[in-house]
């Protein structure tokens, strides 16, 4: 009996293993514990100029979807105040209209652009589409059409949406704080405009 008691005590007092930081990486942003894809848990400094290869390319058009058009209930007059999510991050810390995204400076120079479509431009496009009972808007300086009715915001800086390109629909997500499409920087100016438009519709102010 004494041997059994000793064995049970040994098991009860054995410390539980702890997870390393690598095994349990922290979530970024202000929504600790929010469930979202792994690429939103990566190193927040990954776009620092000393660590990012500006020639890195990623195919953002790898998630085709059969999407049924819809006209959401919030898409009406004064739509910014009727969006079903009552939270939002977009554009904090911007100076002179330049995004604070880590990749922006070198890429904008390479693309030969100095800025993205203004909030007023995007807002006017959505308002006009709502009035005309259209479900998409043309993304500035691109051939893409953003389906604003498809937007969903799982937390205060991430938006998921559907976009049309060349007659096909694609599902995407964007991190508006880090400036990412599907977990990576845009590969051209048109994709940057798409990111900007989706974030403005989801979180931008009137």
């Amino acid at each position: 009996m004494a041997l059994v008691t000793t064995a049970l005590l040994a098991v009860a007092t054995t410390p539980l293993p702890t997870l390393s930081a690598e095994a349990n990486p922290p979530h970024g942003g202000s929504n600790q514990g929010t469930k979202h894809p792994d690429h939103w848990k990566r190193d927040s400094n990954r776009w620092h100029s000393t660590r990012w290869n500006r020639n890195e390319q990623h195919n953002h058009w790898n998630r085709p979807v059969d999407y049924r058009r819809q006209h959401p209930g919030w898409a009406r007059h004064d739509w910014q105040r009727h969006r079903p999510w009552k939270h939002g991050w977009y554009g904090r810390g911007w100076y002179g209209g330049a995004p604070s995204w880590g990749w922006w400076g070198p890429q904008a120079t390479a693309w030969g652009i100095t800025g993205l479509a203004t909030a007023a431009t995007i807002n006017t496009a959505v308002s006009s589409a709502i009035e005309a009972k259209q479900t998409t808007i043309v993304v500035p300086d691109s051939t893409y059409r953003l389906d604003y009715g498809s937007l969903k915001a799982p937390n205060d800086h991430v938006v998921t949406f559907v976009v049309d390109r060349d007659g096909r629909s694609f599902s995407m997500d964007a991190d508006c704080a880090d400036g990412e499409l599907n977990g990576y920087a845009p590969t051209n100016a048109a994709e940057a405009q798409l990111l900007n438009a989706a974030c403005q519709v989801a979180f931008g102010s009137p």
Side-chain angles (χ1 to χ4, degrees), residues 107-189:
Q107 279 299 83
T109 300
W111 295 332
I113 61 176
T114 57
L116 298 171
T118 64
T121 298
I122 302 300
N123 291 351
T124 297
V126 175
S127 296
S128 297
I130 291 173
E131 185 176 348
K133 300 189 183 313
Q134 297 173 343
T135 57
T136 63
I137 63 169
V138 176
V139 175
D141 301 320
S142 80
T143 59
Y144 313 147
R145 298 193 70 94
L146 172 65
D147 191 312
Y148 59 87
S150 69
L151 268 68
K152 298 186 187 317
N155 62 38
D156 70 354
H157 60 281
V158 168
V159 59
T160 64
F161 57 93
V162 172
V163 59
D164 294 346
R165 186 187 76 161
D166 299 332
R168 300 182 66 192
S169 296
F170 297 85
S171 173
M172 289 194 178
D173 56 65
D175 187 317
C176 300
D178 286 343
E180 297 177 350
L181 281 174
N182 299 347
Y184 294 86
T187 60
N188 54 51

